[in-house]
Amino acid sequence: MKLKHMYFHHPSKLENNEAVIQKFENQGVSMKKIQEALGRTNRYVVPTDSPETSLSLGIDAAKGVLRESKISMNEIDIIAFVTCTPEHQIPNDSIFIHQALQGKPDTMCYDINANCIGALLALDQVAQYLNNSKTAQ
């Protein structure tokens, strides 16, 4: 399996991590080492008054990767949506992404409720499915 395209779509607001680091430092937990290891001094956040949600960001990201890769939704066999802040439990958010992108009726859709490791988890699960499926490409 080979990953051909990636596309990143972030919320519009960028914050630095100092307030979070200080909160943990005040509790005696050093976050500086983790930040230095990860190399991330900022993070993107959705402002409380924003119309952006994890689902709208997912839809925009999916549209972006389809546009940039010039792939049609008819070529997509699976939609896996990863978030730790889903908008819906039933039906799950990947169904709404499928609907927004007008996916084919037999597209597998599922959500993964995970945090930082979620992208790797999704890649592993999707790779396992595609490698073992007789119909998926």
Side-chain angles (χ1 to χ4, degrees):
M1 164 161 266
K2 185 176 182 181
L3 186 62
K4 293 183 180 180
H5 303 280
M6 290 181 70
Y7 180 84
F8 297 94
H9 184 74
H10 300 290
S12 55
K13 185 176 181 186
L14 183 67
E15 284 185 356
N16 93 12
N17 291 329
E18 281 306 313
V20 173
I21 289 170
Q22 192 58 51
K23 180 180 177 179
F24 281 98
E25 294 285 339
N26 291 343
Q27 298 172 19
V29 178
S30 177
M31 295 298 288
K32 292 266 185 204
K33 289 181 184 178
I34 292 172
Q35 180 176 314
E36 288 170 10
L38 296 176
R40 299 208 37 193
T41 57
N42 298 309
R43 68 185 185 288
Y44 292 92
V45 296
V46 175
T48 54
D49 61 345
S50 172
E52 291 179 311
T53 64
S54 60
L55 178 56
S56 70
L57 291 167
I59 291 169
D60 290 344
K63 287 178 179 178
V65 77
L66 290 170
R67 182 181 60 251
E68 302 248 333
S69 65
K70 297 176 178 52
I71 293 175
S72 161
M73 269 309 290
N74 290 328
E75 300 175 67
I76 303 297
D77 293 314
I78 184 170
I79 296 172
F81 180 63
V82 182
T83 184
C84 59
T85 57
E87 284 189 56
H88 306 93
Q89 297 297 319
I90 299 174
N92 61 26
D93 286 337
S94 59
I95 298 290
F96 290 96
I97 294 171
H98 177 267
Q99 184 179 34
L101 301 176
Q102 300 175 345
K104 60 187 180 184
D106 60 347
T107 303
M108 177 190 277
C109 298
Y110 76 101
D111 287 12
I112 300 172
N113 187 354
N115 54 17
C116 301
I117 195 83
L120 293 175
L121 180 64
L123 284 172
D124 180 57
Q125 289 183 11
V126 170
Q128 292 296 324
Y129 168 74
L130 293 175
N131 286 332
N132 293 306
S133 173
K134 296 190 186 328
T135 58
Q137 299 180 13

